[in-house]
Amino acid sequence: GGVPSIPVDDPKWTSLPRLLLMGPRRGGKTSIQRVVFHKMSPHETLFQLEATQQLERAVVDQTPLCRFTIWDFPGDYYGDGDVFSGQTSLIFCLDAQDEPYDHVLQSFTNAVTRAIQVNPQITIEVFINKVDGELFLTDDSKFDCRRDIMTQVTDELQDAGLSADGVHIRYHLTSIYDHSIYEALSRVVQRLIPQLPTLENLLNVMVSTCSMEKAYLFDVVSKLYISTDSSPVDMQSVELCSDMIDVVLDVSGIYGLGPLDDEDEIDPDSAYDNESASVIRLSNGMVLYLKEVDTMLALVCITRGQNFRKKSLINYNIGRLRRALRALVPPVDQPTHQNGV
């Protein structure tokens, strides 16, 4: 509601990478999209969303480095072969609480078989969604569920004549009620970014030069991290960085906007600009440092307090990183936004 439409056949959008959200009814596909990209509260999805009746498309292009379209398919509908062509990621969402999975995984195998025939390079992801009920109170129960599904998919693929080695599928345990859905989608989106190896190298140099512990590049609007350095990712640190973005946007939205006329609509993101920055010191001696580096793109660093004393050196290197990022992508002519199709 209230999202302006754009032409489906506009080459500006048709050339972008695609995320295909497929799966059974009530698998949580639309809820995932609304929570991550439309900022809907997870609890609101319970009573505000009806079952998707037809294919819905949306464009995500807040930042030039991270632009793609999302195709939200109705339950149990897997489209024609053309949708799998080009740079595409197939995301299959299934309800982990809705056992048995036999019929659902058979549909998934059929979709994968068709997708690979059309596009052998397609990336395939399985979101084992809704691992937040009473059945999944422990990590062991979640891992058991994932193992069972992986085994069943391998068997189904072999029955369909596909080698499990030839089809690389990644499995993610997700819930819209915690940070797992952001982590999973971040990993999916990263595979659609051709400049990813360069981004990782830039962040490696940044972390090494400034003696940082970790650095992330976040899409500020969706709170997905589109790249990080090559050291292991710690989920807790990603959550901290994500919470920091919320704090910056909330405080900027209250105090960072200039005088407005009564009829002006307030967009909380509009206060985030190229001057946006924030420092949060944690009780364990670590420092979180956020700095804008491109349109709706933030660098969030984690560093030790004693290494943060050289803030001018850090800012100088962030300036170099900012210039490198802008050189990676030619300027985008059209305004950036997130639209429904």
Side-chain angles (χ1 to χ4, degrees):
V3 180
S5 62
I6 59 172
V8 171
D9 298 324
D10 188 331
K12 260 186 325 202
W13 312 123
T14 53
S15 61
L16 293 180
R18 287 191 286 245
L19 288 187
L20 308 180
L21 289 170
M22 295 182 171
R25 295 178 191 279
R26 314 299 303 168
K29 302 179 291 296
T30 305
S31 298
I32 287 171
Q33 186 196 346
R34 295 300 163 84
V35 167
V36 175
F37 299 106
H38 291 262
K39 300 183 182 176
M40 182 179 277
S41 158
H43 298 283
E44 287 178 44
T45 63
L46 291 173
F47 53 87
Q48 286 203 8
L49 292 182
E50 297 178 3
T52 305
Q53 301 297 333
Q54 59 185 21
L55 173 61
E56 296 178 1
R57 282 171 277 204
V59 176
V60 176
D61 71 333
Q62 291 97 349
T63 177
L65 275 169
C66 183
R67 305 174 69 232
F68 54 90
T69 55
I70 304 171
W71 298 41
D72 184 6
F73 286 78
D76 298 314
Y77 173 63
Y78 300 98
D80 55 29
D82 291 343
V83 300
F84 301 116
S85 60
Q87 192 179 2
T88 302
S89 183
L90 165 58
I91 302 175
F92 188 86
C93 302
L94 65 89
D95 182 349
Q97 301 177 30
D98 189 20
E99 293 188 85
Y101 308 123
D102 302 18
H103 174 67
V104 169
L105 293 180
Q106 197 168 9
S107 300
F108 169 60
T109 308
N110 293 339
V112 169
T113 306
R114 287 171 50 225
I116 286 176
Q117 285 172 349
V118 173
N119 179 8
Q121 304 304 315
I122 192 169
T123 59
I124 300 167
E125 319 274 351
V126 175
F127 283 10
I128 303 165
N129 199 29
K130 304 188 184 181
V131 287
D132 44 46
E134 293 179 359
L135 293 170
F136 302 102
L137 295 177
T138 66
D139 285 343
D140 285 346
S141 56
K142 296 177 186 178
F143 297 147
D144 288 346
C145 173
R146 181 172 64 183
R147 187 178 62 247
D148 291 346
I149 289 172
M150 290 172 69
T151 304
Q152 277 187 258
V153 168
T154 302
D155 293 343
E156 290 275 1
L157 288 174
Q158 284 177 340
D159 292 344
L162 287 172
S163 145
D165 297 332
V167 184
H168 181 55
I169 302 172
R170 294 197 304 183
Y171 297 83
H172 311 264
L173 295 162
T174 61
S175 165
I176 58 173
Y177 291 97
D178 60 27
H179 201 270
S180 59
I181 189 59
Y182 292 93
E183 175 68 21
L185 270 173
S186 293
R187 292 178 182 274
V188 171
V189 168
Q190 285 168 22
R191 296 176 83 174
L192 299 177
I193 300 173
Q195 304 94 334
L196 185 64
T198 308
L199 293 176
E200 187 176 302
N201 285 338
L202 288 170
L203 293 176
N204 281 340
V205 172
M206 177 91 191
V207 165
S208 169
T209 305
C210 299
S211 304
M212 294 173 175
E213 302 299 304
K214 195 76 185 146
Y216 298 92
L217 280 176
F218 272 90
D219 176 339
V220 171
V221 179
S222 64
K223 293 191 297 181
L224 301 180
Y225 69 93
I226 66 168
S227 183
T228 182
D229 62 278
S230 53
S231 63
V233 171
D234 169 32
M235 274 283 284
Q236 277 187 312
S237 71
V238 178
E239 283 189 59
L240 272 175
C241 296
S242 182
D243 290 343
M244 184 181 195
I245 291 171
D246 281 337
V247 170
V248 171
L249 288 179
D250 290 346
V251 174
S252 299
I254 298 169
Y255 300 107
L257 292 165
L260 294 169
D261 296 329
D262 290 341
E263 62 271 13
D264 284 352
E265 273 190 44
I266 296 178
D267 175 5
D269 298 334
S270 61
Y272 179 89
D273 56 26
N274 60 1
E275 298 297 322
S276 291
S278 177
V279 179
I280 296 179
R281 298 178 187 275
L282 305 177
S283 56
N284 61 0
M286 303 299 280
V287 174
L288 297 179
Y289 186 35
L290 178 147
K291 190 91 169 148
E292 189 270 0
V293 288
D294 203 347
T295 309
M296 292 321 241
L297 191 68
L299 174 74
V300 186
C301 316
I302 303 173
T303 185
R304 297 181 185 278
Q306 62 264 33
N307 295 331
F308 192 66
R309 291 176 191 144
K310 302 175 183 174
K311 189 176 173 185
S312 55
L313 174 66
I314 293 173
N315 283 337
Y316 172 78
N317 282 285
I318 291 175
R320 300 298 298 265
L321 175 70
R322 181 185 281 143
R323 285 197 288 278
L325 291 176
R326 288 181 180 163
L328 278 178
V329 179
V332 181
D333 295 332
Q334 68 271 16
T336 57
H337 40 56
Q338 203 265 343
N339 283 344
V341 181

